[in-house]
Amino acid sequence: MAKFINLIKLSVGTESVEGLQDWHDRPRPAGEDRTPRHVTRMWPKREAELLNGGSIYWVIKGVVQARQRIIRLDEVIRSDGIRRCGLIFENKLIRVENMTKRPFQGWRYLRPEDAPRDLPEHRSREEQLPPQLSAALADIGVR
């Protein structure tokens, strides 16, 4: 069994990694300590594995393009009284090799061996290919 597990989630309405970073930089998604967060209805049953080095991988426009390290899970209770899970992330987005992903609802677990690799630092500063083209190249083995 892996020592950690990841999550994968659609970033609905986001057009790019930069757009996702802009969203995280706004006051709305941040918690009291100003860290980016996403509130979800379900609490992960594999919490210990997530907090042992797991990340959330973001699907943007049908392509996994970036990840963020999960640093904690906060209990969030809104006006309806229902307990929800606040996924709290490091603010740094790490670009990953693009990988196509079909739409799905909510979040899913993502095993480390199935996750796309991080782009080397020097490549993350390059002008990016369109995500669909980069993912198609990766699908045929061109990285």
Side-chain angles (χ1 to χ4, degrees):
M1 181 159 89
K3 294 181 182 184
F4 70 94
I5 193 77
N6 302 301
L7 296 179
I8 187 166
K9 171 119 181 63
L10 300 181
S11 184
V12 179
T14 303
E15 299 291 322
S16 65
V17 174
E18 293 77 20
L20 180 60
Q21 184 66 59
D22 289 345
W23 182 77
H24 281 305
D25 290 342
R26 288 187 214 143
R28 183 178 48 89
E32 289 180 17
D33 61 356
R34 310 298 306 145
T35 55
R37 73 178 184 158
H38 174 76
V39 178
T40 184
R41 189 171 53 92
M42 302 301 291
W43 196 281
K45 290 179 175 40
R46 299 174 73 177
E47 176 178 358
E49 291 172 88
L50 280 175
L51 299 178
N52 195 31
S55 292
I56 187 163
Y57 284 76
W58 293 107
V59 180
I60 302 169
K61 306 291 274 182
V63 179
V64 181
Q65 297 184 45
R67 72 174 179 90
Q68 284 177 286
R69 180 93 182 266
I70 299 170
I71 56 176
R72 72 176 191 270
L73 306 180
D74 286 352
E75 181 177 74
V76 176
I77 299 177
R78 295 200 172 142
S79 59
D80 58 10
I82 296 173
R83 178 181 186 245
R84 292 179 172 85
C85 180
L87 303 168
I88 311 301
F89 320 117
E90 288 182 346
N91 195 33
K92 181 181 179 186
L93 280 166
I94 299 165
R95 289 185 181 268
V96 298
E97 291 180 343
N98 290 346
M99 178 177 82
T100 55
K101 185 70 177 168
R102 290 182 178 210
F104 58 94
Q105 290 187 343
W107 51 262
R108 301 284 185 268
Y109 290 113
L110 178 66
R111 297 180 316 185
E113 59 269 23
D114 296 332
R117 296 181 299 195
D118 292 353
L119 283 179
E121 186 63 32
H122 70 279
R123 290 218 31 229
S124 65
R125 292 186 302 267
E126 293 175 357
E127 185 175 337
Q128 299 296 308
L129 291 174
Q132 298 293 348
L133 175 59
S134 180
L137 290 170
D139 285 346
I140 63 169
V142 179
R143 300 200 184 270

